[in-house]
Amino acid sequence: MQKNIQVISFIGLGNIAYTVLKMIKHTFINKDVHILIYKNKNQHNDFITFCKKIVESHIVTFQICETYFDCILNSDIIISSVTFFDGNIAPDNAFKEGCLLVPIHTRGFMNCDLFFNKVFFDNFSHVSGFKYYYNFKNKAHEVSDVVNGISFWKEKNIMKELYVKTSVLQFTIYI
């Protein structure tokens, strides 16, 4: 993942998105951060108000996105807490090189299983039934293996660095 995080996108603005925002607000310290928010049912206004309250001492700008593609394009971190998508929500070329994708409910991003260089998740049994499991199995790691030093979070020359299929709690350990 990039050290210079500048753009964070949120898709799905329910309770999980609010909780994730609270957990990663330290990312904003002494940085200019641009937050992309997918517009859905006017939830974006409440989310922006909440964000301004908890990151009031930092420079944060907001952009409302009408499409998933616009919300993903050029994002350093993409956080999706949507519980259901009919299919993939963005083409492969929408994802910035080195981005961190955190699909909390693992929906809408199945195409990433095929081109991201690293895949992290809670445990193998959780993802072994996924459609492309055998395509990403050789580049897959359990988050606990990273904590224990068995697998590595960062390596040189990683094109699409990782695709996290994990819980919010484990996500916050690594940001």
Side-chain angles (χ1 to χ4, degrees):
M1 188 173 74
Q2 300 173 358
K3 290 182 180 180
N4 190 16
I5 298 167
Q6 296 177 330
V7 181
I8 301 173
S9 69
F10 284 88
I11 300 171
L13 300 175
N15 290 332
I16 293 174
Y18 283 79
T19 301
V20 169
L21 183 61
K22 286 180 193 177
M23 291 180 187
I24 67 169
K25 70 180 181 179
H26 69 277
T27 304
F28 308 153
I29 296 172
N30 299 322
K31 295 180 183 177
D32 294 344
V33 176
H34 188 62
I35 297 179
L36 303 176
I37 302 168
Y38 179 72
K39 183 179 180 180
N40 185 33
K41 302 178 187 175
N42 291 320
Q43 295 172 328
H44 56 283
N45 294 324
D46 292 337
F47 191 77
I48 290 171
T49 301
F50 177 78
C51 187
K52 286 179 179 177
K53 287 179 186 175
I54 68 167
V55 295
E56 60 191 39
S57 64
H58 311 297
I59 301 170
V60 180
T61 57
F62 302 93
Q63 178 181 337
I64 308 304
C65 300
E66 300 283 338
T67 68
Y68 296 125
F69 182 86
D70 290 340
C71 203
I72 291 170
L73 191 66
N74 297 317
S75 292
D76 299 309
I77 300 175
I78 303 141
I79 300 164
S80 172
S81 55
V82 176
T83 56
F84 180 78
F85 287 112
D86 284 329
N88 294 327
I89 65 166
D92 300 358
N93 65 351
F95 296 90
K96 178 180 178 178
E97 183 175 324
C99 71
L100 170 65
L101 171 61
V102 185
I104 295 167
H105 297 291
T106 68
R107 307 284 183 170
F109 301 95
M110 199 177 312
N111 56 321
C112 297
D113 291 346
L114 300 173
F115 69 93
F116 270 58
N117 285 5
K118 286 199 175 233
V119 179
F120 291 86
F121 45 80
D122 294 334
N123 58 61
F124 277 101
S125 64
H126 175 75
V127 297
S128 62
F130 284 16
K131 181 177 181 179
Y132 297 121
Y133 173 72
Y134 290 100
N135 294 78
F136 69 76
K137 182 180 177 183
N138 64 338
K139 57 186 175 182
H141 308 272
E142 290 188 4
V143 174
S144 60
D145 288 344
V146 177
V147 172
N148 293 318
I150 298 167
S151 295
F152 298 96
W153 179 258
K154 177 104 172 122
E155 294 175 5
K156 293 181 181 178
N157 300 318
I158 294 175
M159 184 177 154
K160 298 289 183 180
E161 194 162 308
L162 51 118
Y163 174 37
V164 177
K165 293 180 177 179
T166 187
S167 69
V168 175
L169 177 62
Q170 289 171 329
F171 162 69
T172 60
I173 293 170
Y174 298 104
I175 283 290

